[in-house]
Every structure is written in structure tokens, then in C-alpha cells.
Amino acid sequence: MVTITDFSKANKKKRTCLITGRIYPGETHSSWVIHGLIKYLCGKSATARSLRSRFVFKVLPMLNPDGVVAG
């Protein structure tokens, strides 16, 4: 699991957003979506900084690794 937030504002109450990917073997496109999302949320844009200051993002890039490998 990857946690993305503004840790300098950790003492503030923030809502948590859980994002999962690759739940089923055929969801190959979700790997690209999760990759883009992580890249965006870690970026330097004003919107990304605002999101990090207001939310804690918990990202599970691959929820079912055994099914993806065996599928």
C-alpha cells in the first residue's frame, strides 16, 4: 500500500480515500490508471498540492497479485 498526503499537515483531521487496482486478472488497464494517478498525486501542480493537504490517499496498486500472475 502507498500512502500519499501532505505529511507536514498530519495533525489535521483529513478524510481518507482508498483506491484499489488489479482486482481481477483481466484489468490490465488499471495498472496504467493507478500509475498515472500516483504520478499526478505526487506532482507539483496546485491541484495535487491541494488534494494532498486535504486528503490521505491509500493506494493499493494490485489487490490480487496471485490472481493477476496466475490469470
Coordinates of all heavy atoms in Angstrom, one line a residue:
M1 N 0.8 -1.2 0.0 CA 0.0 0.0 0.0 C 0.9 1.2 0.0 O 1.9 1.3 0.7 CB -0.9 0.0 1.2 CG -1.8 1.2 1.3 SD -3.1 1.3 2.5 CE -2.5 0.3 3.8
V2 N 0.5 2.2 -0.8 CA 1.2 3.5 -0.9 C 0.3 4.6 -0.2 O -0.9 4.7 -0.5 CB 1.5 3.9 -2.4 CG1 2.1 5.2 -2.5 CG2 2.2 2.8 -3.1
T3 N 0.9 5.4 0.7 CA 0.2 6.5 1.3 C 0.7 7.8 0.7 O 1.9 8.0 0.8 CB 0.4 6.4 2.8 OG1 -0.1 5.2 3.3 CG2 -0.4 7.6 3.5
I4 N -0.2 8.6 0.2 CA 0.1 9.9 -0.4 C -0.7 10.9 0.3 O -1.9 10.9 0.4 CB -0.2 9.9 -1.9 CG1 0.6 8.8 -2.6 CG2 0.1 11.3 -2.5 CD1 0.1 8.6 -4.1
T5 N 0.0 11.9 0.9 CA -0.6 13.0 1.6 C 0.4 14.1 1.9 O 1.6 13.9 1.6 CB -1.3 12.6 3.0 OG1 -2.1 13.6 3.5 CG2 -0.3 12.1 4.0
D6 N 0.0 15.2 2.4 CA 1.0 16.2 2.9 C 1.2 15.9 4.3 O 0.4 16.2 5.2 CB 0.3 17.6 2.7 CG 1.3 18.7 3.1 OD1 2.4 18.4 3.6 OD2 0.9 19.9 2.9
F7 N 2.4 15.3 4.6 CA 2.7 14.8 6.0 C 3.0 16.0 6.9 O 3.0 15.8 8.1 CB 3.8 13.8 5.9 CG 3.5 12.5 5.4 CD1 3.8 12.2 4.1 CD2 2.7 11.6 6.1 CE1 3.4 11.0 3.5 CE2 2.3 10.4 5.6 CZ 2.7 10.1 4.3
S8 N 3.3 17.2 6.4 CA 3.5 18.3 7.2 C 2.2 18.8 7.9 O 2.3 19.5 8.9 CB 4.1 19.5 6.4 OG 3.2 20.0 5.5
K9 N 1.1 18.4 7.4 CA -0.2 18.8 8.0 C -0.9 17.5 8.6 O -2.0 17.3 8.5 CB -1.1 19.4 6.9 CG -0.5 20.6 6.3 CD -1.5 21.2 5.3 CE -0.9 22.2 4.5 NZ -0.6 23.5 4.8
A10 N 0.0 16.6 9.1 CA -0.5 15.3 9.6 C -1.4 15.5 10.8 O -2.3 14.6 11.1 CB 0.6 14.4 9.9
N11 N -1.3 16.5 11.6 CA -2.1 16.6 12.8 C -3.5 17.1 12.5 O -4.3 17.1 13.4 CB -1.4 17.5 13.9 CG -1.1 18.9 13.3 OD1 -1.3 19.2 12.1 ND2 -0.6 19.8 14.1
K12 N -3.8 17.5 11.3 CA -5.1 18.0 10.9 C -6.0 16.8 10.6 O -5.5 15.7 10.1 CB -4.9 18.8 9.6 CG -5.7 20.1 9.6 CD -5.3 20.8 8.3 CE -6.5 21.4 7.8 NZ -6.3 22.1 6.5
K13 N -7.3 16.9 10.9 CA -8.2 15.8 10.5 C -8.4 15.8 9.0 O -8.8 16.8 8.4 CB -9.5 16.0 11.2 CG -9.5 15.8 12.7 CD -9.7 14.4 13.0 CE -9.8 14.3 14.5 NZ -9.9 12.9 14.9
K14 N -8.1 14.7 8.4 CA -8.3 14.6 6.9 C -9.1 13.3 6.6 O -9.1 12.3 7.3 CB -6.9 14.4 6.3 CG -5.9 15.5 6.4 CD -4.7 15.2 5.6 CE -3.6 16.2 5.8 NZ -2.4 15.8 5.1
R15 N -9.8 13.4 5.6 CA -10.6 12.2 5.1 C -9.6 11.3 4.3 O -8.6 11.8 3.7 CB -11.7 12.7 4.1 CG -12.8 13.4 4.9 CD -13.9 13.6 4.0 NE -15.1 13.4 4.8 CZ -16.3 13.5 4.4 NH1 -16.5 13.8 3.1 NH2 -17.3 13.3 5.1
T16 N -9.9 10.0 4.3 CA -9.1 9.0 3.7 C -9.8 8.6 2.4 O -11.0 8.3 2.4 CB -8.8 7.9 4.6 OG1 -8.1 8.4 5.8 CG2 -8.0 6.8 3.9
C17 N -9.1 8.4 1.3 CA -9.6 7.9 0.1 C -8.8 6.7 -0.3 O -7.6 6.7 -0.5 CB -9.4 9.0 -1.0 SG -10.0 8.5 -2.6
L18 N -9.5 5.5 -0.3 CA -8.9 4.2 -0.6 C -9.1 3.9 -2.1 O -10.2 4.0 -2.6 CB -9.5 3.1 0.2 CG -9.0 1.7 -0.1 CD1 -7.6 1.6 0.3 CD2 -9.9 0.7 0.7
I19 N -8.0 3.7 -2.8 CA -8.1 3.4 -4.3 C -7.4 2.1 -4.5 O -6.3 1.8 -4.1 CB -7.3 4.5 -5.1 CG1 -8.0 5.9 -4.7 CG2 -7.4 4.2 -6.6 CD1 -7.2 7.0 -5.1
T20 N -8.1 1.2 -5.2 CA -7.5 -0.2 -5.5 C -7.4 -0.4 -7.0 O -8.2 0.2 -7.7 CB -8.4 -1.3 -4.8 OG1 -9.7 -1.2 -5.4 CG2 -8.5 -1.1 -3.3
G21 N -6.5 -1.3 -7.3 CA -6.4 -1.6 -8.8 C -6.0 -3.1 -8.9 O -5.7 -3.8 -7.9
R22 N -6.2 -3.6 -10.1 CA -5.9 -5.0 -10.4 C -6.5 -6.0 -9.5 O -5.9 -6.9 -8.9 CB -4.4 -5.3 -10.4 CG -3.6 -4.5 -11.5 CD -4.0 -4.8 -12.9 NE -3.9 -6.2 -13.4 CZ -3.0 -6.6 -14.2 NH1 -2.0 -5.9 -14.6 NH2 -3.1 -7.9 -14.6
I23 N -7.9 -5.9 -9.4 CA -8.6 -6.8 -8.5 C -8.8 -8.1 -9.3 O -8.7 -9.2 -8.7 CB -10.0 -6.2 -8.1 CG1 -9.7 -4.9 -7.3 CG2 -10.8 -7.1 -7.4 CD1 -11.0 -4.1 -7.1
Y24 N -9.0 -8.0 -10.6 CA -9.2 -9.2 -11.4 C -8.1 -9.3 -12.5 O -7.6 -8.3 -12.9 CB -10.6 -9.1 -12.1 CG -11.7 -9.0 -11.2 CD1 -12.4 -7.9 -11.0 CD2 -12.1 -10.1 -10.4 CE1 -13.4 -7.8 -10.0 CE2 -13.1 -10.1 -9.5 CZ -13.8 -8.9 -9.3 OH -14.8 -8.8 -8.4
P25 N -7.7 -10.5 -12.9 CA -6.6 -10.6 -13.8 C -6.8 -9.9 -15.1 O -5.8 -9.4 -15.7 CB -6.6 -12.1 -14.1 CG -7.2 -12.8 -12.9 CD -8.3 -11.8 -12.4
G26 N -8.0 -9.7 -15.6 CA -8.1 -9.0 -16.9 C -8.1 -7.5 -16.9 O -8.2 -6.9 -17.9
E27 N -7.9 -6.9 -15.7 CA -7.9 -5.5 -15.6 C -6.5 -4.9 -15.9 O -5.9 -4.2 -15.0 CB -8.4 -5.1 -14.2 CG -9.8 -5.4 -14.0 CD -10.3 -5.0 -12.6 OE1 -9.4 -4.8 -11.7 OE2 -11.5 -4.8 -12.4
T28 N -5.9 -5.2 -17.0 CA -4.6 -4.7 -17.3 C -4.5 -3.2 -17.4 O -3.5 -2.6 -17.0 CB -4.0 -5.3 -18.5 OG1 -4.9 -5.0 -19.6 CG2 -3.8 -6.8 -18.4
H29 N -5.6 -2.6 -17.8 CA -5.6 -1.1 -18.0 C -5.6 -0.4 -16.7 O -5.1 0.7 -16.6 CB -6.9 -0.7 -18.7 CG -8.2 -1.2 -18.1 ND1 -8.6 -2.5 -18.2 CD2 -9.0 -0.6 -17.3 CE1 -9.7 -2.7 -17.5 NE2 -10.0 -1.5 -16.9
S30 N -6.0 -1.1 -15.6 CA -6.0 -0.4 -14.3 C -4.6 -0.2 -13.8 O -4.3 0.8 -13.0 CB -6.8 -1.2 -13.2 OG -6.1 -2.4 -12.9
S31 N -3.6 -0.9 -14.3 CA -2.2 -0.7 -13.9 C -1.8 0.7 -14.4 O -1.1 1.4 -13.7 CB -1.3 -1.8 -14.5 OG -1.5 -3.0 -13.9
W32 N -2.2 1.0 -15.6 CA -1.8 2.3 -16.2 C -2.6 3.5 -15.5 O -2.0 4.5 -15.3 CB -2.1 2.3 -17.7 CG -1.3 1.4 -18.5 CD1 -1.6 0.2 -19.0 CD2 0.1 1.6 -18.7 NE1 -0.6 -0.4 -19.6 CE2 0.5 0.4 -19.5 CE3 1.0 2.6 -18.5 CZ2 1.8 0.3 -19.9 CZ3 2.3 2.4 -18.9 CH2 2.7 1.3 -19.6
V33 N -3.8 3.2 -15.1 CA -4.6 4.2 -14.4 C -4.0 4.5 -13.0 O -3.8 5.7 -12.7 CB -6.1 3.8 -14.3 CG1 -6.8 4.7 -13.4 CG2 -6.7 3.7 -15.6
I34 N -3.6 3.5 -12.3 CA -3.0 3.7 -11.0 C -1.7 4.4 -11.1 O -1.4 5.2 -10.3 CB -2.9 2.3 -10.3 CG1 -4.3 1.7 -9.9 CG2 -2.0 2.4 -9.0 CD1 -5.1 2.4 -8.9
H35 N -0.9 4.0 -12.1 CA 0.4 4.6 -12.3 C 0.2 6.1 -12.6 O 0.9 6.9 -12.0 CB 1.1 3.9 -13.5 CG 2.4 4.6 -13.9 ND1 3.6 4.5 -13.2 CD2 2.7 5.5 -14.9 CE1 4.5 5.2 -13.7 NE2 4.0 5.8 -14.8
G36 N -0.7 6.5 -13.4 CA -1.0 7.9 -13.7 C -1.5 8.6 -12.5 O -1.1 9.8 -12.3
L37 N -2.3 8.0 -11.7 CA -2.9 8.6 -10.5 C -1.8 8.9 -9.5 O -1.7 10.0 -9.0 CB -4.0 7.7 -9.9 CG -4.6 8.3 -8.6 CD1 -5.4 9.5 -8.9 CD2 -5.3 7.2 -7.9
I38 N -0.9 7.9 -9.3 CA 0.2 8.1 -8.3 C 1.1 9.2 -8.8 O 1.5 10.1 -8.0 CB 1.0 6.8 -8.1 CG1 0.1 5.8 -7.3 CG2 2.2 7.1 -7.3 CD1 0.7 4.4 -7.2
K39 N 1.4 9.2 -10.1 CA 2.3 10.3 -10.7 C 1.6 11.6 -10.5 O 2.3 12.6 -10.1 CB 2.5 9.9 -12.1 CG 3.6 10.8 -12.8 CD 3.9 10.3 -14.2 CE 4.8 11.3 -14.9 NZ 5.1 10.9 -16.2
Y40 N 0.3 11.7 -10.8 CA -0.4 13.0 -10.6 C -0.4 13.5 -9.2 O -0.1 14.6 -8.9 CB -1.8 12.9 -11.2 CG -2.6 14.2 -11.0 CD1 -2.3 15.3 -11.8 CD2 -3.5 14.3 -10.0 CE1 -3.0 16.5 -11.6 CE2 -4.2 15.5 -9.8 CZ -4.0 16.5 -10.6 OH -4.7 17.7 -10.5
L41 N -0.8 12.6 -8.3 CA -0.9 13.0 -6.8 C 0.4 13.4 -6.2 O 0.5 14.2 -5.3 CB -1.5 11.9 -6.0 CG -3.0 11.6 -6.3 CD1 -3.5 10.4 -5.5 CD2 -3.9 12.8 -5.9
C42 N 1.5 12.8 -6.7 CA 2.8 13.2 -6.2 C 3.4 14.4 -7.0 O 4.5 14.8 -6.6 CB 3.8 12.0 -6.3 SG 3.3 10.6 -5.3
G43 N 2.7 14.9 -7.9 CA 3.2 16.0 -8.7 C 3.2 17.4 -8.0 O 2.8 17.5 -6.9
K44 N 3.7 18.4 -8.8 CA 3.9 19.7 -8.2 C 2.7 20.7 -8.5 O 2.8 21.9 -8.2 CB 5.2 20.3 -8.7 CG 6.4 19.5 -8.2 CD 7.7 20.2 -8.7 CE 8.9 19.3 -8.2 NZ 10.1 19.9 -8.7
S45 N 1.7 20.2 -9.2 CA 0.6 21.1 -9.6 C -0.1 21.6 -8.4 O -0.1 21.0 -7.3 CB -0.4 20.4 -10.5 OG -1.1 19.5 -9.8
A46 N -0.8 22.8 -8.5 CA -1.5 23.4 -7.4 C -2.7 22.5 -7.0 O -3.0 22.3 -5.8 CB -2.1 24.7 -7.8
T47 N -3.3 21.8 -7.9 CA -4.4 20.9 -7.6 C -3.9 19.7 -6.8 O -4.5 19.3 -5.8 CB -5.1 20.4 -8.9 OG1 -5.5 21.6 -9.7 CG2 -6.3 19.6 -8.6
A48 N -2.8 19.1 -7.2 CA -2.2 18.0 -6.5 C -1.8 18.4 -5.1 O -2.1 17.6 -4.1 CB -1.0 17.4 -7.2
R49 N -1.2 19.5 -4.9 CA -0.9 20.0 -3.6 C -2.1 20.2 -2.7 O -2.1 19.9 -1.5 CB 0.0 21.3 -3.7 CG 1.4 21.1 -4.1 CD 2.2 22.3 -3.9 NE 1.7 23.5 -4.5 CZ 2.0 24.0 -5.6 NH1 2.9 23.4 -6.4 NH2 1.4 25.1 -6.1
S50 N -3.1 20.8 -3.3 CA -4.4 21.0 -2.6 C -5.0 19.6 -2.1 O -5.5 19.5 -1.0 CB -5.4 21.8 -3.4 OG -6.6 21.9 -2.8
L51 N -5.0 18.7 -3.0 CA -5.6 17.3 -2.7 C -4.8 16.7 -1.6 O -5.3 16.1 -0.6 CB -5.6 16.4 -3.9 CG -6.6 16.8 -5.0 CD1 -6.3 16.0 -6.3 CD2 -8.0 16.5 -4.5
R52 N -3.4 16.8 -1.6 CA -2.6 16.2 -0.6 C -2.8 16.9 0.8 O -2.7 16.2 1.8 CB -1.1 16.2 -1.0 CG -0.7 15.3 -2.1 CD 0.8 15.2 -2.2 NE 1.4 16.5 -2.4 CZ 1.8 17.0 -3.6 NH1 1.5 16.4 -4.7 NH2 2.4 18.2 -3.6
S53 N -3.1 18.2 0.8 CA -3.3 18.9 2.0 C -4.6 18.5 2.7 O -4.8 18.7 3.9 CB -3.1 20.4 1.8 OG -4.2 20.9 1.1
R54 N -5.6 18.1 1.8 CA -7.0 17.9 2.4 C -7.3 16.4 2.6 O -8.2 16.1 3.3 CB -8.0 18.5 1.4 CG -7.9 20.0 1.4 CD -8.7 20.6 0.3 NE -10.0 20.0 0.1 CZ -10.6 20.0 -1.0 NH1 -10.2 20.7 -2.1 NH2 -11.8 19.4 -1.2
F55 N -6.6 15.5 1.9 CA -6.9 14.1 2.0 C -5.7 13.2 2.2 O -4.5 13.6 2.0 CB -7.5 13.6 0.6 CG -8.8 14.2 0.3 CD1 -8.8 15.3 -0.6 CD2 -10.0 13.7 0.8 CE1 -10.0 15.9 -0.9 CE2 -11.2 14.3 0.4 CZ -11.2 15.4 -0.4
V56 N -5.9 12.0 2.7 CA -4.9 10.9 2.8 C -5.3 9.9 1.8 O -6.4 9.3 1.9 CB -4.9 10.3 4.2 CG1 -3.9 9.1 4.2 CG2 -4.5 11.3 5.3
F57 N -4.5 9.7 0.8 CA -4.8 8.7 -0.3 C -4.0 7.4 0.1 O -2.8 7.4 0.3 CB -4.3 9.2 -1.6 CG -5.1 10.4 -2.1 CD1 -4.6 11.7 -1.9 CD2 -6.3 10.2 -2.8 CE1 -5.4 12.8 -2.3 CE2 -7.0 11.3 -3.2 CZ -6.5 12.6 -3.0
K58 N -4.8 6.3 0.2 CA -4.2 5.0 0.4 C -4.4 4.2 -0.9 O -5.6 4.0 -1.3 CB -4.9 4.2 1.5 CG -4.9 4.9 2.9 CD -3.5 4.7 3.5 CE -3.5 5.3 4.9 NZ -2.3 5.0 5.6
V59 N -3.3 3.9 -1.6 CA -3.4 3.3 -2.9 C -2.9 1.9 -2.9 O -1.7 1.7 -2.5 CB -2.6 4.1 -4.0 CG1 -2.8 3.6 -5.4 CG2 -3.0 5.6 -4.0
L60 N -3.7 0.9 -3.3 CA -3.3 -0.5 -3.4 C -3.2 -0.8 -4.9 O -4.2 -1.0 -5.5 CB -4.3 -1.4 -2.7 CG -4.3 -1.3 -1.2 CD1 -5.7 -1.0 -0.7 CD2 -3.8 -2.6 -0.7
P61 N -2.0 -0.7 -5.5 CA -1.9 -0.8 -6.9 C -2.3 -2.2 -7.5 O -2.8 -2.3 -8.6 CB -0.4 -0.6 -7.2 CG 0.1 0.0 -6.0 CD -0.7 -0.4 -4.9
M62 N -2.2 -3.3 -6.7 CA -2.5 -4.6 -7.1 C -3.2 -5.3 -5.9 O -2.4 -5.8 -5.1 CB -1.3 -5.4 -7.7 CG -1.7 -6.6 -8.3 SD -0.3 -7.5 -9.1 CE 0.2 -6.4 -10.3
L63 N -4.5 -5.4 -5.9 CA -5.2 -6.0 -4.8 C -5.1 -7.5 -4.8 O -5.1 -8.2 -3.8 CB -6.6 -5.6 -4.8 CG -7.4 -5.8 -3.5 CD1 -6.8 -5.1 -2.3 CD2 -8.8 -5.4 -3.7
N64 N -4.9 -8.1 -6.0 CA -5.0 -9.6 -6.1 C -3.7 -10.1 -6.9 O -3.9 -10.5 -8.1 CB -6.3 -10.0 -6.9 CG -6.4 -11.5 -7.0 OD1 -5.6 -12.3 -6.5 ND2 -7.4 -11.9 -7.8
P65 N -2.5 -10.0 -6.4 CA -1.3 -10.4 -7.1 C -1.3 -11.8 -7.6 O -0.9 -12.1 -8.7 CB -0.2 -10.1 -6.2 CG -0.8 -10.0 -4.8 CD -2.2 -9.6 -5.0
D66 N -1.8 -12.7 -6.8 CA -1.9 -14.2 -7.2 C -2.8 -14.4 -8.4 O -2.4 -15.1 -9.3 CB -2.3 -15.0 -6.0 CG -1.4 -15.0 -4.8 OD1 -0.2 -14.8 -5.1 OD2 -1.8 -15.3 -3.7
G67 N -3.9 -13.8 -8.4 CA -4.9 -13.9 -9.5 C -4.3 -13.3 -10.7 O -4.5 -13.8 -11.8
V68 N -3.6 -12.1 -10.6 CA -3.1 -11.5 -11.8 C -1.9 -12.3 -12.4 O -1.9 -12.5 -13.6 CB -2.6 -10.1 -11.4 CG1 -1.8 -9.4 -12.5 CG2 -3.7 -9.2 -11.0
V69 N -1.1 -12.9 -11.5 CA 0.0 -13.7 -12.1 C -0.5 -15.0 -12.7 O -0.1 -15.4 -13.7 CB 1.0 -14.0 -10.9 CG1 2.0 -15.0 -11.4 CG2 1.8 -12.7 -10.5
A70 N -1.5 -15.6 -12.0 CA -2.0 -16.9 -12.5 C -3.0 -16.8 -13.5 O -3.3 -17.7 -14.2 CB -2.5 -17.7 -11.3
G71 N -3.6 -15.6 -13.6 CA -4.7 -15.4 -14.6 C -4.3 -15.1 -16.0 O -5.0 -15.2 -16.9

